[in-house]
Amino acid sequence: MPRTPGLFALAPHAPVVPVVVIEDAADAVPLARALVAGGLPLIEFTLRTPAALDAVRAVAAEVPEAVVGAGTVVSAAGAADAVRAGARFLVSPGCSRRLLGALRESGVPFLPGVSTASEVLALLDEGVTELKFFPAEAAGGVPYLKSLAGPLPQARFCPTGGVSAASAPAYLALPNVACVGGTWMLPPDALAARDWARVEALAREAAGLRTAGAPAAAGGSTSGA
């Protein structure tokens, strides 16, 4: 099977992936520029709104310093549409055999979602070592991921779902966590006011969250084999 580069190698020192639910594609470029200026170049636009693909397309064309991706990818068609729009990585909330095939065929790094040890094992059997842990807080949070590090050290995670500025450092201190996904640097009132300076300031705080001694992402890992 063709090997797909690892997502964690695209921006190995970015501890947080902003997860953006965007309503107006016109906001995508200034939002992305604010996040990049704050030190968060990996940006996930979730495919939950009609504006999402246009947002990916705009950022891919106008903010080359951003690594723009698509989240909430739940079908082969969604994966293909996102890549055609310019997505450089894909994220799914879970994974089926058919979706895994589509993610592999996309040719870009991907993070399939898992929430149990059995799901992790199933993807490790497929050669996939980079995973999204979702919904992180509801599925057991830091204690659960810590318990997986011993028996499954080859799996590396991006916990997403309920992660906050307060809880992120504890996740980032784990040896099997490369980064976290979150929305706290994108408060709804700031987005409604198009207060990009505030978004940039919050992004800068998030970019500095990696706990001293927490592992940075290794450049040689892979999302698929």
Side-chain angles (χ1 to χ4, degrees), residues 7 9 19 22 25 34 38-40 49 52 63 71 76 83 92 104 119 135 155 194 209 215 217-218:
L7 170 60
V19 179
I22 195 160
L40 300 180
T49 66
V63 194
V83 172
S92 68
R104 279 190 165 130
E119 291 169 342
R194 294 177 170 81
L209 280 178

Side-chain angles (χ1 to χ4, degrees), residues 54-157:
D54 285 339
V56 170
R57 192 173 292 111
V59 173
E62 299 184 45
V63 194
E65 60 272 34
V67 182
V68 64
T72 321
V73 176
V74 296
S75 67
D81 288 345
V83 172
R84 278 195 294 268
R88 294 173 59 186
F89 65 91
L90 303 174
V91 183
S92 68
C95 197
S96 65
R97 185 172 294 275
R98 179 176 295 180
L99 181 57
L100 178 59
L103 293 173
R104 279 190 165 130
E105 290 172 6
S106 73
V108 300
F110 57 87
L111 286 182
V114 296
S115 60
T116 69
S118 293
E119 291 169 342
V120 175
L121 280 170
L123 284 165
L124 289 176
D125 282 348
E126 294 286 344
V128 181
T129 60
E130 295 188 357
L131 308 165
K132 171 182 176 176
F133 181 55
F134 177 83
E137 287 291 288
V142 170
Y144 192 89
L145 280 181
K146 186 175 182 179
S147 72
L148 293 182
L152 301 172
Q154 65 272 51
R156 301 180 71 243
F157 299 94

